[in-house]
Structure formats: C-alpha cells, structure tokens
C-alpha cells in the first residue's frame, strides 16, 4: 500500500495544518509499505507571487516536516517542482478532464471569492493535484475535509482515463479524519492562512502566546459557566488532549474556568507538545546542506516511480511504443 500527501508552501504552517494534515499523515509512516510526502510548490504559485516568499515558504515547509518527525529514512519527501513528470502528466490529464468537473470545484470558487486571481492555473489546480496522486499509484490520500472533493475529482479523472485507455491508474481513496475535520482559528472561523486567524506551529514563542491570548471570547462574567462546544480555546486545546483529559477540561469550563486561565493552559499544552520539535527545528535550520541533500534524495526516488508511470501513460495514449 502506498500513502501520499502534499502540502502547499504558501504561508506559515499552523495548528490547522498540523492537526488536519501533518499529524494524521505522519500516523501512516511505518504503516504503509511506502509513504510519499511532497511540498507542492507549483500549486503554491497560484497564490504566492513574491519569489522571496516562495523560497522561504518552501524551505520552511521542509524544516517544519522534518522537525515534526518526518523521517526521510522511512519515507520519501521532495519538492513537487523537482519532479517534472507532475506537469507532464497534468497536461495529459487535462486533455480529458471535463470543464464541467472543474467548474464544480468548491475550492476554486472559494479562492476567487477571497480575492485570489482567477487564473487558468487556479482553475486547473485539481488536475495538477490529480497528477500528483496518480503518478505514484497512491492507494490512500490523507487530507482535511476541504480537500475531499479534490481527491474525488482525481478518482473521476483516473476512472475516465482507465475507461478510455485501459487500466493505467490505481483509484485512490481519500482518508478524512472527521474528529479534527476543521480546526477553528482565533476568531472561531476555520483556521486558515488567508483569514489571519492562525496559531503557527513554529516561530517566536511570544508570537504564539500572543495568538493564543487573542482567541475570541464572549463578555460574560469571568467565572460564569461556559459551554465547551462554543469555547474556541477549548476546541483548540482538546486537540492536544486524550479523551479523558479533554472531558475533564470541558467540565472545568462548565464549572466556570476563566478564559484567561484556559488560554494560559493552552499555551502550556502547546509548549509541551511542540517544545521538542521546536528544538529539533532550530538545530536543522543551521544545516542547509543536509536539507538540500534530503530534498535531492527524495526527488531522485520519486522520479523513479514517476518515470515508470509516465512510460505507462505515454504508451496508453500513444505518445510512445
Ligand atoms: P490554509 O487554509 O491555511 O491555506 P491549506 O489550504 O494550505 O491551509 O491546507 C493545507 C492542509 O491542511 C489541507 O490538507 C487542509 O485540509 C489542512 N487544513 C488547513 N486548515 C485546516 C483547519 N483549520 N482544520 C483542519 N485541517 C486544515
Ligand atoms: N491541494 C492540497 C491542499 O491545498 C495540496 C495538495 C496538492 C495535495 N497535491 C496533493 C494533497 C496531493 C494531497 C495529495 O492542501
């Protein structure tokens, strides 16, 4: 079984990315026969237009994953743009992707509504994602709920290709973790880089503390009972806790735990969970050669798989053989 996932280097990674994507994906490490993880820098070009930003975000993403426990000895990690087959397959897939399928993409509409330029790249984003997945014969794709439609589109495209050109692609399954389906941001909306409501995974301790302290609360009496289901601090804090500890914290909120105290505890939980990763990241950050080596090794391994798939695809459509 092969498990694969990609993450856009389009900003600073936050707790939504961690609990919604990085952590569930890492849980597959060791369980799957092969695990691939890539930094989708070509996708990021649809939103990041500043080259210095992109350079920083790409490197940060690699550092973040390694710090969060991604072991390059157990899995393949690489930059999407280092494996040219992604764009090559994207073109071939785009020649049989119905416009109607892309027009139904919720994510495209959302992004345009948010003010992102409606470019051809943004519109065909799901086709590049389909290429990312199909190139590696992935069986399982762990993603957040918002990406489910993209994986379903990948399945539709793969099925269409297989019907027209014969069995070529493995049909992938999305794997959604319902219990962390949407991590709320400091304002209670979905935590997202584009809403300015994130709590970053890494970065200056004081900035993280500031973000946690800025979590929106209502103006009830300090010691009044609070409903944990509508308390944003609790909704974020519970992600760090076991079921029993989360239930105990929920009771404390019902019994009037003060918001300020709840936030302080959330910050402590954050430091407990991410402290060791923060230390590891600080070490890795000093070793640029190692980072480049890891990315180059990953790309080399990925190219071997991608190259074999492309040969199959080109044969199927009549570009070779
Ligand atoms: P952002 O909304 O910050 O731009 P992305 O769209 O780049 O984040 O998401 C990257 C990955 O992280 C996706 O797999 C997505 O499902 C997951 N993710 C992002 N935000 C959240 C969230 N608030 N809750 C759960 N998962 C999330
Ligand atoms: N579109 C995904 C996101 O925004 C990132 C992504 C690109 C991806 N290619 C992928 C995720 C392949 C899983 C598999 O989060």
């Amino acid at each position: 079984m092969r498990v694969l996932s990609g993450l856009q280097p389009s900003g600073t990674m936050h707790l939504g990315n961690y609990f919604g994507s990085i952590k569930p994906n890492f849980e597959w490490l060791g369980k799957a026969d092969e695990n691939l993880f890539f930094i989708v820098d070509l996708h990021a070009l649809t939103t990041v237009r500043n080259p210095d930003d992109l350079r920083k975000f790409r490197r940060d993403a690699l550092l973040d994953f390694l710090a969060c426990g991604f072991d390059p000895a157990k899995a393949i990690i690489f930059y999407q743009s280092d494996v040219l087959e992604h764009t090559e397959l994207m073109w071939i897939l785009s020649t049989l992707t119905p416009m109607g399928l892309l027009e139904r993409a919720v994510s495209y509409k959302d992004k345009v509504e948010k003010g992102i330029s409606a470019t051809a790249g943004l519109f065909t984003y799901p086709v590049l994602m389909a290429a990312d997945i199909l190139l590696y014969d992935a069986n399982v794709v762990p993603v957040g709920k918002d990406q489910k439609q993209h994986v379903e589109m990948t399945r539709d495209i793969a099925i269409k290709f297989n019907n027209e050109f014969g069995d070529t692609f493995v049909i992938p399954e999305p794997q959604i973790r319902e219990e962390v389906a949407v991590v709320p941001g400091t304002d209670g909306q979905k935590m997202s880089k584009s809403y300015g409501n994130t709590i970053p995974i890494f970065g200056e301790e004081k900035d993280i503390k500031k973000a946690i302290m800025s979590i929106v609360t209502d103006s009830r009496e300090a010691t009044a009972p609070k409903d944990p289901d509508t308390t944003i601090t609790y909704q974020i804090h519970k992600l760090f806790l076991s079921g029993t500890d989360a239930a105990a914290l929920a009771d404390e909120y019902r019994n009037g735990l003060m918001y300020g105290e709840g936030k302080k505890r959330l910050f402590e939980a954050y430091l407990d969970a991410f402290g060791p990763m923060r230390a590891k990241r600080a070490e890795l950050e000093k070793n640029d050669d190692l980072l480049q080596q890891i990315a180059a090794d990953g790309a080399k391994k990925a190219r071997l798989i991608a190259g074999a798939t492309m040969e199959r695809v080109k044969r199927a459509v009549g570009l070779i053989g």
Side-chain angles (χ1 to χ4, degrees):
M1 181 184 45
R2 195 175 273 159
V3 178
L4 148 165
S5 196
L7 194 65
Q8 280 200 71
S10 55
T12 303
M13 301 270 189
H14 52 75
L15 293 183
N17 300 141
Y18 182 77
F19 288 107
S21 167
I22 301 174
K23 186 165 176 259
N25 190 59
F26 284 13
E27 277 162 11
W28 285 94
L29 291 176
K31 274 194 230 158
D33 306 315
E34 197 157 30
N35 218 293
L36 289 112
F37 203 95
F38 40 88
I39 297 164
V40 293
D41 46 7
L42 295 172
H43 278 114
L45 274 175
T46 58
T47 51
V48 185
R49 290 286 163 69
N50 178 318
D52 289 334
D53 282 352
L54 188 59
R55 265 186 281 274
K56 178 179 179 333
F57 295 154
R58 290 170 92 237
R59 182 171 183 275
D60 279 354
L62 183 58
L63 274 167
D64 290 351
F65 297 141
L66 296 172
C68 287
F70 194 95
D71 180 355
K74 285 201 198 133
I76 305 177
I77 191 160
F78 61 100
Y79 292 117
Q80 181 190 33
S81 64
D82 281 344
V83 182
L84 302 180
E85 284 82 356
H86 288 247
T87 38
E88 192 180 19
L89 179 58
M90 182 208 172
W91 175 255
I92 296 177
L93 297 180
S94 75
T95 61
L96 77 160
T97 303
M99 287 294 282
L101 184 74
L102 297 177
E103 278 159 2
R104 285 193 294 277
V106 175
S107 153
Y108 172 78
K109 287 178 211 150
D110 282 355
K111 287 180 178 172
V112 172
E113 239 163 60
K114 274 195 242 156
I116 297 172
S117 320
T119 58
L122 192 69
F123 188 65
T124 54
Y125 179 115
V127 190
L128 181 58
M129 181 155 162
D132 293 345
I133 296 171
L134 300 178
L135 260 185
Y136 300 100
D137 295 331
N139 313 86
V140 177
V141 186
V143 284
K145 215 174 185 171
D146 59 327
Q147 294 297 316
K148 188 165 176 251
Q149 190 189 25
H150 283 157
V151 182
E152 281 162 358
M153 290 165 92
T154 302
R155 290 170 58 90
D156 290 348
I157 295 171
I159 290 168
K160 192 163 196 300
F161 189 103
N162 285 354
N163 282 341
E164 285 194 28
F165 297 108
D167 251 3
T168 308
F169 293 122
V170 170
I171 311 299
E173 287 290 338
Q175 215 261 337
I176 318 287
R177 291 241 315 196
E178 294 295 343
E179 74 271 28
V180 290
V182 176
V183 179
T186 52
D187 58 358
Q189 286 191 81
K190 172 188 181 262
M191 187 179 289
S192 169
K193 280 162 233 156
S194 21
Y195 300 151
N197 64 356
T198 65
I199 302 173
I201 319 180
F202 296 108
E204 296 284 331
E205 227 175 271
K206 66 169 177 13
D207 293 337
I208 289 153
K209 190 166 185 184
K210 205 168 131 199
I212 290 177
M213 290 304 166
S214 75
I215 294 173
V216 171
T217 52
D218 56 27
S219 55
R220 72 184 67 203
E221 275 295 298
T223 53
K226 291 148 193 102
D227 176 3
D229 289 339
T230 54
T231 302
I232 306 164
T233 311
Y234 172 76
Q235 292 300 320
I236 301 175
H237 197 159
K238 74 172 185 193
L239 300 168
F240 291 89
L241 303 175
S242 66
T244 339
D245 290 347
L249 182 65
D251 278 342
E252 286 197 71
Y253 272 109
R254 284 189 202 100
N255 292 327
L257 178 71
M258 290 190 286
Y259 289 128
E261 174 60 21
K263 289 178 182 178
K264 214 177 108 211
R265 291 214 215 147
L266 169 57
F267 181 58
E268 281 158 15
Y270 161 84
L271 284 182
D272 280 350
F274 289 102
M277 300 181 210
R278 294 173 63 84
K280 187 167 176 194
R281 194 181 190 283
E283 264 316 297
L284 277 167
E285 196 161 14
K286 295 181 217 149
N287 199 341
D288 223 25
D289 289 347
L290 177 66
L291 286 179
Q292 288 189 22
Q293 191 58 51
I294 290 172
D297 287 350
K300 201 168 148 195
K301 289 182 195 151
R303 261 182 238 122
L304 279 178
I305 309 172
T309 309
M310 277 319 292
E311 192 164 329
R312 230 163 58 216
V313 170
K314 285 181 171 171
R315 212 173 284 287
V317 298
L319 286 171
I320 51 171

